[in-house]
Amino acid sequence: RKEVEQDPGPFNVPEGATVAFNCTYSNSASQSFFWYRQDCRKEPKLLMSVYSSGNEDGRFTAQLNRASQYISLLIRDSKLSDSATYLCVVNHSNYQLIWGAGTKLIIKP
Amino acid sequence: GAVVSQHPSWVICKSGTSVKIECRSLDFQATTMFWYRQFPKQSLMLMATSNEGSKATYEQGVEKDKFLINHASLTLSTLTVTSAHPEDSSFYICSARFSSGANVLTFGAGSRLTVL
């Protein structure tokens, strides 16, 4: 089993819809969690950190479920520009960041 | 904000040649830089951790004699792919922590290597 798993997608979603996807992690000692966004042939860019209490940034909401060992990302009112691959990153010890393979999201007009 | 400048953006070379990729931290000092490799539709895989003034720490399965890392200053780390082969074709990305102890990484723009 991979340490960090994501559904590769692609998720094809109409513009304006709400979409959510999860990322599961295997190490219960994982300490911090992040969502990164990666556009095709570009470097990853931090989208948001994920806190235990959940956090929201505009149309994006991230949540952590420690009991079930997954984090989620919800995008409301999706825009065409949201099309990208969303990478889940888990840190379970200092300097050890484990990356998921990403979930590809395609927003269609 | 913290910026990591990575060059070249892409390179095409013949099999057997060596390719050097540079990463510079702009406006901040990066005592530690991380080098990743990403194959199509796969996750980023950490290759090595580069520490200024000391030897890099390589991940299991990464050949240190093939992927030479030099971190001679607080703002520059280089990765040299020696005797490149087609299977080395990949997207190589460097990253650095903007501040000590933080887990948020700042990435270079990546270097796409194609070995013919």
Side-chain angles (χ1 to χ4, degrees):
Chain A
R1 182 185 173 189
K2 294 180 181 177
E3 289 195 64
V4 177
E5 292 200 69
Q6 295 182 252
D7 183 335
F11 286 37
N12 290 283
V13 175
E15 188 177 10
T18 296
V19 60
F21 29 85
N22 294 338
C23 165
T24 59
Y25 59 94
S26 61
N27 191 324
S28 59
S30 299
Q31 298 172 354
S32 48
F33 311 85
F34 308 89
W35 282 105
Y36 277 75
R37 171 196 168 124
Q38 186 175 26
D39 293 293
C40 188
R41 297 176 178 265
K42 299 283 188 180
E43 76 280 17
K45 293 184 178 178
L46 179 66
L47 180 64
M48 57 199 309
S49 302
V50 187
Y51 304 121
S52 297
S53 56
N55 50 306
E56 187 175 314
D57 182 3
R59 297 181 294 108
F60 297 84
T61 301
Q63 292 192 313
L64 166 64
N65 186 317
R66 284 195 183 273
S68 300
Q69 295 184 198
Y70 73 87
I71 64 172
S72 63
L73 179 67
L74 182 142
I75 306 174
R76 287 181 297 276
D77 188 24
S78 53
K79 312 291 185 189
L80 295 177
S81 57
D82 294 334
S83 297
T85 295
Y86 290 84
L87 302 168
C88 164
V89 186
V90 174
N91 173 35
H92 59 75
S93 63
N94 246 357
Y95 304 111
Q96 284 284 332
L97 294 177
I98 310 299
W99 294 75
T103 296
K104 187 172 184 178
L105 176 65
I106 301 172
I107 306 299
K108 297 191 171 183
Chain B
V3 174
V4 173
S5 174
Q6 182 172 350
H7 296 280
S9 300
W10 56 270
V11 58
I12 301 173
C13 68
K14 292 182 179 179
S15 185
T17 59
S18 294
V19 176
K20 179 187 281 190
I21 301 169
E22 290 189 352
C23 271
R24 294 179 183 274
S25 57
L26 307 181
D27 300 325
F28 74 102
Q29 294 180 333
T31 55
T32 302
M33 275 202 182
F34 304 92
W35 287 94
Y36 290 88
R37 178 169 55 183
Q38 185 179 35
F39 293 106
K41 298 186 179 181
Q42 294 188 24
S43 59
L44 275 74
M45 297 299 296
L46 180 65
M47 298 176 65
T49 301
S50 165
N51 301 295
E52 185 268 335
S54 64
K55 291 182 179 180
T57 303
Y58 289 82
E59 296 299 303
Q60 192 173 13
V62 178
E63 299 175 58
K64 61 180 182 180
D65 294 329
K66 182 171 181 61
F67 299 98
L68 301 179
I69 291 174
N70 184 284
H71 195 157
S73 77
L74 286 170
T75 59
L76 174 64
S77 177
T78 61
L79 167 67
T80 302
V81 183
T82 61
S83 187
H85 291 283
E87 58 265 30
D88 297 324
S89 299
S90 185
F91 191 49
Y92 293 86
I93 313 175
C94 65
S95 68
R97 281 192 171 77
F98 174 53
S99 59
S100 177
N103 287 318
V104 175
L105 300 177
T106 298
F107 283 87
S111 300
R112 188 162 299 280
L113 171 64
T114 301
V115 184
L116 302 177

